[in-house]
Amino acid sequence: MATPAPVNTSSRGAQRKMQIISVAAGLFNERGYHETSMDLIAAHVGIRKASLYHYFSSKDEILIVIHEEMIDLIVERQEQRAAAAALGPKDMLLAVMTDLVGLMETHPGHLRVFFEHYRELPMQARNAIAGKRDQYHQYLIDILEAGVSTGEFGPMDTRMTSFAILGMCNWTYQWFHPGEGWTAEQVARHFWQLFIDGAAPKP
């Protein structure tokens, strides 16, 4: 008689943690952070509250993980692109803008939590996340400065322009609904084209 394959408990545990994070993000989004209790999260996941504490020690820890997942994802993507050095400033900017808008398709609940519940983070975690946000912001400024340096973009205040690009992309979480018309890639490319047309060097 064949011996049953061993159960990969670590994989099952990781899947459960992902489920908890996804459910919690949705509840934080719908009800607000303070109105969402650990009891409510456990009930929506379908586990006992005691089991929930096996995965996360507190609601704050869940909120921290949501923020870390979001910022680490886009930072790592950009660092990989920069290391490959295969894209010029225009294409690099398009990739960054596609990443930002694309989060609405891949992490919609997380995204609203990321923008609207940042101040709910414990101070130490908030400072750490702020450092990573600043790091990503600098990556964007570097792309714009490279474009100005190569002549692909006209002269500009790169810091002010970076805020305009971030505002344009990040605000999509307020109105963009995947599956109801445009794709995230279409939205990002449209925004990018508006910028490219406006930033082109003047004759």
Side-chain angles (χ1 to χ4, degrees), residues 160-182:
M160 184 185 298
T161 304
S162 69
F163 282 122
I165 292 171
L166 289 173
M168 185 164 53
C169 293
N170 291 344
W171 193 249
T172 55
Y173 88 95
Q174 290 281 2
W175 59 265
F176 175 53
H177 304 288
E180 297 182 7
W182 310 294

Side-chain angles (χ1 to χ4, degrees), residues 84-99:
L87 300 178
K90 285 185 179 180
D91 290 334
M92 188 75 82
L93 180 61
L94 176 59
V96 166
M97 295 174 76
T98 301
D99 277 350

Side-chain angles (χ1 to χ4, degrees), residues 29-136:
N29 178 28
E30 294 169 8
R31 297 169 178 261
Y33 179 71
H34 293 296
E35 288 69 31
T36 301
S37 65
M38 292 291 273
D39 295 272
L40 190 62
I41 294 171
H44 277 71
V45 173
I47 59 177
R48 294 179 301 170
K49 183 178 178 181
S51 298
L52 177 59
Y53 279 108
H54 172 74
Y55 297 100
F56 294 99
S57 62
S58 67
K59 191 171 64 170
D60 282 352
E61 185 182 357
I62 298 175
L63 185 65
I64 291 169
V65 171
I66 291 172
H67 279 78
E68 287 178 339
E69 281 190 355
M70 292 295 298
I71 193 64
D72 287 346
L73 175 63
I74 57 176
V75 166
E76 288 171 8
R77 285 179 179 175
Q78 181 53 25
E79 288 179 341
Q80 289 171 2
R81 279 192 292 263
L87 300 178
K90 285 185 179 180
D91 290 334
M92 188 75 82
L93 180 61
L94 176 59
V96 166
M97 295 174 76
T98 301
D99 277 350
L100 293 173
V101 180
L103 292 172
M104 277 302 301
E105 288 183 336
T106 59
H107 298 74
H110 292 58
L111 199 58
R112 183 175 292 273
V113 171
F114 186 77
F115 289 127
E116 296 188 359
H117 297 284
Y118 169 72
R119 297 185 185 280
E120 316 293 347
L121 288 167
M123 185 57 68
Q124 183 176 358
R126 191 191 311 174
N127 290 338
I129 297 297
K132 292 181 180 181
R133 285 187 173 198
D134 291 344
Q135 177 185 1
Y136 189 75

Side-chain angles (χ1 to χ4, degrees), residues 150-198:
T150 61
E152 293 180 61
F153 305 151
M156 68 176 73
D157 183 321
T158 54
R159 183 170 175 78
M160 184 185 298
T161 304
S162 69
F163 282 122
I165 292 171
L166 289 173
M168 185 164 53
C169 293
N170 291 344
W171 193 249
T172 55
Y173 88 95
Q174 290 281 2
W175 59 265
F176 175 53
H177 304 288
E180 297 182 7
W182 310 294
T183 65
E185 184 177 359
Q186 288 172 326
V187 172
R189 182 170 287 277
H190 181 72
F191 286 173
W192 174 80
Q193 192 63 58
L194 289 174
F195 171 80
I196 293 300
D197 291 345

